[in-house]
Amino acid sequence: MVQYKGLPVWCAPALRRRALVAAALVGLVGGLPVPPPACAAGDALEGALRRLQADDILVADAAVEELVAIGAPAVDALLPLLADPRRDVRAGAVRALGLLGDARAAAPIRTGLEASLGQDRPDTMEDRYLRILRIQALGRLRDADSLPLLRRVAESGDDFERAHAGIALFLSGADPGYDLARECLGASEMAIRNLVTEGLAESDDSRVATLVLPLTQDDSWVVRDTAFRTLRRFRGDAPVAEAFARGRQDPSWYVRETVAEIDRGARP
């Protein structure tokens, strides 16, 4: 998990996906999914919303994933929480709505980002934290009306904000997403290289392989590990397959284990 101003900033929980909630909400009869009773679904939603507002940040973080697993029924309940006075509740709502991908969330999240960029007072840690989450969400929502705001961040934001804007623009298929992502992948700061490598995993654009392939030989084992995870869907490309062959001999045990895990997953 990358830290920014002491707080997590890129929240793609590749290692923390919880199948438990999805399994609880879907029954199997003859191998076919059967919708749960309405009361069970309602109870699950109510419980997840309650946990999203918990003081324990780990409980609240897990609730985001529960809400994403619940899907469309969670959207209406999450939208009002974008205006909640509690920072962590607003943050959880932004994250969940971005991951859910419902277009109704774009306008209020866009409004929040615009207000944050337009304020006169100096930024606080809270401002920067929520701004980054909104940038992430708008990228995941592929919201065309947000492109001018994202380009504004790309031009004037700090290094971390620019990196997130590059990811969001790339996910939206808009300029200068590719060029900015490539620039950030060459940054001297490991945290920026890693967060962009991780963020690009959310795109199925074939150019991701070109961008991320050099990172399989990064000086940092953390970045190399993230690069292999991002490239797993491109293993059919000859240059990526060659990188995986090298990865099996990587000096880092963690990287070798990641490559082995991906190899096992690719077998029938």
Side-chain angles (χ1 to χ4, degrees):
M1 175 68 71
V2 177
Q3 298 285 320
Y4 174 60
K5 307 297 183 183
L7 294 167
V9 293
W10 185 256
C11 305
L15 302 179
R16 299 179 294 109
R17 292 293 182 193
R18 293 171 174 83
L20 181 60
V21 176
L25 295 177
V26 178
L28 291 176
V29 176
L32 298 176
V34 177
C39 59
D43 289 346
L45 176 57
E46 182 180 348
L49 289 169
R50 185 173 60 253
R51 286 184 286 278
L52 183 69
Q53 301 172 65
D55 292 334
D56 187 326
I57 192 170
L58 295 178
V59 172
D61 184 63
V64 171
E65 296 179 29
E66 292 180 51
L67 289 161
V68 173
I70 289 170
V75 174
D76 285 333
L78 283 165
L79 287 170
L81 296 181
L82 293 173
D84 194 278
R86 294 162 292 181
R87 183 201 69 177
D88 290 340
V89 175
R90 296 200 305 278
V94 171
R95 283 186 54 212
L97 287 165
L99 290 166
L100 283 163
D102 192 296
R104 289 174 291 169
I109 294 175
R110 184 171 65 244
T111 298
L113 177 59
E114 187 170 19
S116 174
L117 292 172
Q119 64 190 13
D120 294 330
R121 60 175 174 78
D123 281 339
T124 64
M125 178 177 67
E126 179 176 305
D127 293 331
R128 292 188 174 102
Y129 178 52
L130 287 169
R131 186 180 301 151
I132 281 176
L133 292 179
R134 288 169 178 139
I135 292 167
Q136 291 174 356
L138 292 171
R140 287 166 172 154
L141 290 165
R142 276 67 165 175
D143 178 50
D145 290 336
S146 299
L147 296 180
L149 283 176
L150 295 174
R151 292 187 176 112
R152 180 176 166 187
V153 176
E155 293 173 0
S156 61
D158 65 26
D159 290 346
F160 278 85
E161 291 167 353
R162 293 183 70 246
H164 282 286
I167 297 167
L169 288 164
F170 187 89
L171 293 177
S172 300
D175 293 329
Y178 179 88
D179 290 338
L180 184 52
R182 182 174 59 181
E183 174 191 331
C184 293
L185 287 171
S188 59
E189 189 164 352
M190 180 274 286
I192 290 179
R193 299 197 306 276
N194 194 64
L195 76 87
V196 175
T197 302
E198 186 177 21
L200 291 175
E202 298 189 28
S203 172
D204 57 4
D205 190 317
S206 61
R207 295 178 298 170
V208 169
T210 303
L211 286 168
V212 174
L213 192 59
L215 280 300
T216 60
Q217 300 184 69
D218 194 88
D219 291 340
S220 166
W221 73 264
V222 174
V223 176
R224 297 197 305 276
D225 188 80
T226 303
F228 282 113
R229 293 185 183 278
T230 295
L231 289 170
R232 69 172 68 206
R233 72 177 66 186
F234 301 103
R235 291 176 76 253
D237 298 351
V240 176
E242 291 173 7
F244 270 83
R246 292 193 301 270
R248 296 181 191 106
Q249 306 299 320
D250 193 275
S252 167
W253 177 87
Y254 292 99
V255 175
R256 295 196 304 273
E257 281 297 297
T258 291
V259 172
E261 173 191 299
I262 294 170
D263 283 343
R264 288 192 295 269
R267 293 177 189 142

